[in-house]
Amino acid sequence: MFEIINFSDDDDALLEAVRGHKGKAWSANADIVRYRKRLLELQNYRCAYCQGAIALDEVGHRELDHIFPKSTTKDCGVDKGRSNDDHHRQHTFGYPQFTFEPLNLIVTCKICNAFKKSHDPLLDRSMAYDSDDYPVLGSIMWYYPYSHRYSDHIGRTENWTYTRLSEQGEAVIRVCKLDKAEVLASRFSIRALIQAKRSKNVRTAFTSLAGHVDDKVCSLDQAVDALAGTLGVSEEICEQLIELWLCYLRGGGVRHVEKFESILAAIVFDESLDVENAAEPLAREVEAQPA
Ligand SMILES: [Zn+2]
């Protein structure tokens, strides 16, 4: 879980280095890459909006979101760009003055950012916002992780359901579709599938997916589907292996590990299954799919 960005004094130089690019065209330069790494730490390796785990700093897991979009969207006219209606907020004239403002950047999962896109969170958009001063908190219609505590704005249960605790939290839930059960289910299936296909070998596929189930990152059914589909092992065996590892994780003792290893050995030595090579090519397939 991640609550709020808390900088230390040591971060000042990095913030200034990022600001030093003001006026240039956006690029993931070395300062931005350093800042993204630091943000991941400060965010406890969680997406700022959904709290989903961003385990690795690598393409496919995370995005750097501009809270205030950096540029004008295509065909943005005054009718939409100056409108305060929710359904017009994907149209924006942009805020290029904050392109390299570190407090306008936040790390999100790819799925949240795909839904947020160019959503403009300025409360009153009826006038052009030309100031170089970042909008004050009261004029931001969005959960703002540099000042707001997550749990004051968005409630999240262990089972990954979200509740609105403020208007700002409501905006995030609505725009990132955290209230759509079918979207949430597919998010967790995708995470389970990516984890299964990224695993270096069969053993880590099972242990990491069991860890996901234990952390409630995905359900048992989603983990079983992902593993059975990736490895070509029957759903019954996948479920049995995950449950054995879960028992072990929950303090069930070493006998569960012994049983787990013996079933796993039987799978690995079943020559009809190409388990050694199953994960690699499929991982590339998943990465090629849009989030
Ligand atoms: Zn997210």
Side-chain angles (χ1 to χ4, degrees), residues 6 18 29 81 120 140 157 175 185 190 250 261:
N6 268 325
V18 172
N29 58 54
D120 184 340
I140 305 176
T157 66
V175 173
I190 289 168
R250 292 166 183 171
E261 299 293 357

Side-chain angles (χ1 to χ4, degrees), residues 92-103:
T92 178
F93 289 103
Y95 304 82
Q97 66 271 48
F98 306 129
T99 299
F100 289 103
E101 169 48 56
L103 306 191

Side-chain angles (χ1 to χ4, degrees), residues 146-178:
Y146 291 95
S147 304
H148 290 146
R149 294 187 71 78
Y150 189 89
S151 58
D152 289 340
H153 295 270
I154 298 170
R156 191 179 70 80
T157 66
E158 277 212 325
N159 294 318
W160 296 85
T161 56
Y162 298 83
T163 48
R164 306 152 167 80
L165 301 178
S166 72
E167 286 192 355
Q168 292 87 345
E170 197 275 335
V172 171
I173 289 173
R174 178 169 36 77
V175 173
C176 295
K177 302 197 190 303
L178 297 175

Side-chain angles (χ1 to χ4, degrees), residues 190-234:
I190 289 168
R191 276 189 208 140
L193 202 58
I194 289 173
Q195 186 60 49
K197 293 180 178 187
R198 278 242 163 87
S199 297
K200 287 195 177 65
N201 58 49
V202 181
R203 192 175 191 283
T204 55
F206 281 104
T207 56
S208 64
L209 259 294
H212 268 33
V213 175
D214 198 39
D215 290 340
K216 297 193 165 61
V217 172
C218 67
S219 70
L220 177 63
D221 284 352
Q222 288 163 343
V224 168
D225 282 354
L227 287 166
T230 305
L231 302 173
V233 177
S234 79

Side-chain angles (χ1 to χ4, degrees), residues 47-68:
C47 167
Y49 300 144
C50 73
Q51 296 275 350
I54 300 178
L56 302 163
D57 185 19
E58 65 178 71
V59 177
H61 282 274
R62 47 79 190 137
E63 301 259 303
L64 202 53
D65 176 44
H66 282 84
I67 297 171
F68 281 88

